Amino acid sequence: MAFPERFSNLPDYAFPRLRKLLDAHAPGAAPIAMSIGEPKHPMPDFVAGILAENIGGFAVYPPNDGTPGLLDAISGWVSRRYGVALDQDRIMALNGTREGLFNAALALAPEEKSGKRPVILMPNPFYQVYAVAALAVGAEPVYVPATAATGYLPDYASLPADILSRTVLAWICSPANPQGAVASRDYLSDLLDLSEKYDFRLLADECYSEIWREAPPPGLLEIGAAKGADPEKYAVFHSLSKRSNMPGLRSGFVATGPESMQRIRRLRSFAGAPLPLPLQMVAEACWRDEAHVAASLALYQQKYRMAAEIFAGHQGFRLPDGGMFLWLPVQNGEAATLKLWRETGVRVLPGAYLSRDVGGDNPGKDYIRVALVAPEEETRRGLIRLRDCLFG
Ligand SMILES: Cc1ncc(COP(=O)(O)O)c(C=O)c1O
């Protein structure tokens, strides 16, 4: 019995790969987890009460698109954060943003463009679901370097016209995982112009928008609205996993134009898994509250400052503009990850597990990704061990 060919070249997912690399080796000291982007800051204190009050909601099938209350809370947040008014028919609640990223591509990518196989553009390195979504719809994934040379964001405008004219979707992640780059207003505006010129959609993954160093990152919703761009041509994704420190809640949202949203919602109604009702109630309260977000941001900003002090004067160290990761150059990311684990117990992720080989070059292979998710003192211990082991 055959298996589908389209996923046959997929590498193992990053974390099983990491377990394969490290788990046969004893850690050099008490382990410190800096590999997964799982925030360890406190979740909002109202969560337990809301869950208890709404526990009966597990007895009913939840609304597919989100309760009116949740959609209203999201729309309120978008308006406060970006100054953009969104009707509820432009928003859908997600059962974790990852499924939304995948399913939106399924709903929005056409089978062909001008009679040719479509292309889906993505940065390299990148959050891995982008590539799997491209393969699932039969498109050709094109991995575009997002390295020091390009300001850690993809330079889509530099691609040949024959690629751009076959492009149906392009992913952009800002703040970027893993590089920590933030797309400026000009970058986003130019990208909208490019997508207009070549008639493709933008899918903007802005899950890390509330974790930033100097200023709140601009969002595609605000730039699109300011330019009067066609809202059907871009979709924006957000998550409570990072904003509210609740990766286990599995809650986010997608926003786009009404027709694109209708297509995403229709697919969801057949094949999707909506968020359970009590969890929609929790999500609603999270989007309405900013105090817990500000408290968490202060902790990240303190850790950025601490990392800058610990690595002061070390070649290649760069603070991210946003997000929760350091993206550090090393000789060989896999070898460095293994050495670090065996000598110090610090667990990080090799950059190559988030990037692809293109023409013999893999832009992540000489990097490690370091998650600043643990409490401050544990993060400090981890970073000092890392510096002394790899940058000493
Ligand atoms: C860039 C990026 N997008 C999306 C997600 C998925 O977020 P969620 O937990 O809401 O599925 C993550 C999670 O790590 C991420 O790093």
Side-chain angles (χ1 to χ4, degrees):
M1 173 101 80
F3 287 112
E5 261 310 300
R6 57 187 174 273
F7 301 122
S8 54
N9 290 329
L10 272 188
D12 280 344
Y13 200 60
F15 297 105
R17 260 175 109 180
L18 183 65
R19 288 194 284 275
K20 231 183 250 175
L21 177 72
L22 299 186
D23 284 1
H25 304 273
I32 298 184
M34 305 183 97
S35 56
I36 188 165
E38 185 178 72
K40 300 294 178 204
H41 300 171
M43 69 173 78
D45 55 11
F46 48 74
V47 170
I50 294 177
L51 199 53
E53 266 168 42
N54 292 283
I55 204 82
F58 283 120
V60 298
Y61 280 113
N64 260 318
D65 305 330
T67 62
L70 174 53
L71 298 181
D72 178 69
I74 292 170
S75 158
W77 180 77
V78 168
S79 158
R80 289 197 307 281
R81 175 68 168 82
Y82 297 120
V84 174
L86 288 186
D87 289 340
Q88 295 205 354
D89 67 349
R90 293 189 52 192
I91 308 167
M92 187 181 84
L94 298 175
N95 191 347
T97 305
R98 188 170 61 176
E99 68 87 2
L101 296 166
F102 183 81
N103 287 313
L106 234 52
L108 299 178
E111 288 80 3
E112 59 171 45
K113 191 169 177 191
S114 316
K116 296 192 178 133
R117 185 180 180 202
V119 160
I120 295 187
L121 306 178
M122 64 201 73
N124 191 20
F126 60 101
Y127 185 57
Q128 296 291 293
V129 73
Y130 311 156
V132 182
L135 297 175
V137 300
E140 178 189 343
V142 170
Y143 306 105
V144 181
T147 60
T150 62
Y152 298 100
L153 293 169
D155 181 6
Y156 292 142
S158 69
L159 292 169
D162 66 305
I163 296 278
L164 289 167
S165 56
R166 278 199 293 133
T167 299
V168 291
L169 299 179
W171 297 99
I172 179 74
C173 184
S174 172
N177 173 10
Q179 306 92 324
V182 165
S184 67
R185 286 168 194 279
D186 286 348
Y187 180 98
L188 294 173
S189 173
D190 291 349
L191 197 53
L192 281 163
D193 291 344
L194 191 74
S195 73
E196 186 62 43
K197 178 169 174 198
Y198 286 97
D199 190 27
F200 60 80
R201 278 196 174 80
L202 294 174
L203 300 181
D205 179 350
E206 298 180 354
C207 283
Y208 294 93
S209 65
E210 304 315 284
I211 307 175
W212 42 267
R213 190 152 54 86
E214 283 181 347
L220 196 60
L221 283 173
E222 64 183 308
I223 308 299
K227 282 174 80 79
D230 177 358
E232 302 296 344
K233 301 290 287 293
Y234 56 94
V236 172
F237 300 82
H238 284 268
S239 173
L240 290 177
S241 298
K242 323 294 175 181
R243 175 184 178 274
S244 297
N245 301 315
M246 300 231 283
L249 182 68
R250 310 308 305 130
S251 183
F253 74 85
V254 52
T256 181
E259 192 195 333
S260 302
M261 182 54 69
Q262 203 226 332
R263 286 170 188 268
I264 294 172
R265 285 182 172 199
R266 191 187 306 151
L267 193 65
R268 154 69 60 88
S269 64
F270 283 99
L275 192 68
L277 192 55
L279 305 189
Q280 295 201 31
M281 300 302 198
V282 171
E284 175 181 340
C286 289
W287 288 113
R288 292 197 195 283
D289 184 71
E290 289 299 334
H292 73 281
V293 183
S296 188
L297 175 62
L299 297 177
Y300 282 114
Q301 293 187 336
Q302 172 57 24
K303 287 191 274 189
Y304 291 150
R305 286 191 288 273
M306 185 176 83
E309 279 167 26
I310 291 172
F311 284 89
H314 284 270
Q315 272 278 319
F317 174 79
R318 180 183 64 91
L319 271 181
D321 299 327
M324 54 178 63
F325 304 109
L326 300 179
W327 182 239
L328 299 180
V330 289
Q331 282 281 316
N332 166 329
E334 238 183 7
T337 298
L338 183 57
K339 173 177 160 75
L340 187 65
W341 174 250
R342 294 178 66 170
E343 294 182 10
T344 75
V346 173
R347 197 172 177 98
V348 298
L349 193 68
Y353 293 8
L354 302 168
S355 56
R356 293 299 156 87
D357 258 58
V358 179
D361 187 34
N362 186 326
K365 78 175 185 323
D366 293 336
Y367 283 82
I368 52 173
R369 192 192 76 172
V370 183
L372 303 179
V373 287
E376 184 178 340
E377 278 318 304
E378 191 179 339
T379 302
R380 182 192 305 281
R381 280 201 305 281
L383 290 180
I384 290 173
R385 285 190 209 169
L386 190 157
R387 178 199 62 194
D388 294 347
C389 177
L390 299 180
F391 291 77

